[in-house]
Amino acid sequence: MSLLTDAAPDDAARTTAPDFSVLDDAAWSSLSGEHAHFAEGGDLVRRYPVDVSPFAAVRTWDDPGVWAAIIDLVGYDADFPAPPESVTLPAGWTRGEVFGGVQLVETERLVGRPDEEAVVLGASDVPEMMDLVARAKPGPFLPRTYEMGRYVGIRRDGVLAAMAGERLRPEGWTEISAVATDERFRGQGLATRLVLDVVHHVRERGARAMMHAAASNTNAIRLYERLGFEVRRRNEFGMVHTPVSA
């Protein structure tokens, strides 16, 4: 399959070719662009507020000042997203466990559609959203994560049965995240409907859809590929720990 190089069927107005390079560091692109209002830090190191998202990023690992800038931002005896294995850590820094992941991007086969049953979720829905995420475990979701974009859900008898929403916003793209379904309502296609609803609204803004998934979550990856996503790259996610003290 080939990556999308033209407008999607349900958004013919998007005629420019996608810039995939911003996805190489989606968090930095997001914190430097549409989510700059969330950014804590400076020109070299930035992060989201700790109640919004665990994502943090650096402009470049080649700048020798990056290590001091990380400590200035997160402090000593703290965690920060790890650099590539090729980057040598200074004395006192340690690497944690590494997890494999994949980055998926839309192709011309992906067709979004609004869902009449999808309801927009907000501050009053956070307890239910966090409870569902804790049980379904789609990935990190914090008390203010919903502020990163549009989150939607489907209710059954007043219960939040499924949800999905928007997380990172690298330039020209929107990451779909927090795709979760209550185990009592699985097998009904609710997650698929919500993903396609989010895709539709992402494209209405003129952006393109992308996702991240754990490499071990092969069932979800196959579902996303059937919908019209494809794996762009394989990633490794891990943390480094700053020195205990100066």
Side-chain angles (χ1 to χ4, degrees), residues 173-222:
W173 297 84
T174 296
E175 179 194 26
I176 299 176
S177 182
V179 181
T181 304
D182 186 309
E183 63 181 359
R184 293 171 293 177
F185 303 100
R186 290 176 184 167
Q188 301 178 25
L190 302 184
T192 293
R193 289 168 52 187
L194 289 176
V195 167
L196 295 180
D197 179 90
V198 176
V199 167
H200 172 79
H201 287 85
V202 165
R203 288 176 165 178
E204 276 197 326
R205 297 198 308 267
R208 290 180 165 86
M210 48 87 67
M211 309 183 78
H212 289 103
S216 60
N217 196 354
T218 53
N219 289 336
I221 294 170
R222 282 196 294 268

Side-chain angles (χ1 to χ4, degrees), residues 33-160:
E34 287 196 51
H35 280 174
H37 59 286
F38 284 119
E40 298 178 347
D43 179 59
L44 194 53
V45 179
R46 296 176 184 176
R47 73 173 180 183
Y48 286 91
V50 295
D51 58 350
V52 172
S53 172
F55 280 103
V58 305
R59 178 169 52 80
T60 175
W61 291 103
D62 295 331
D63 190 315
V66 69
W67 309 103
I70 292 173
I71 292 175
D72 286 344
L73 183 59
V74 303
Y76 290 99
D77 198 18
D79 289 325
F80 191 86
E85 287 287 341
S86 58
V87 175
T88 301
L89 302 183
W93 293 66
T94 56
R95 288 185 185 270
E97 189 175 359
V98 175
F99 301 92
V102 297
Q103 183 183 84
L104 301 106
V105 296
E106 64 169 62
T107 72
E108 68 278 358
R109 296 185 297 105
L110 179 65
V111 180
R113 59 175 179 267
D115 194 291
E116 63 180 13
E117 204 176 355
V119 295
V120 176
L121 304 173
S124 63
D125 303 296
V126 167
E128 282 186 284
M129 297 167 77
M130 294 191 68
D131 176 67
L132 177 55
V133 166
R135 289 182 284 113
K137 302 185 185 304
F141 190 90
L142 300 168
R144 294 177 56 208
T145 299
Y146 76 94
E147 296 179 17
M148 297 178 75
R150 176 179 175 271
Y151 280 81
V152 290
I154 291 177
R155 295 187 177 277
R156 289 286 185 268
D157 298 323
V159 175
L160 184 61

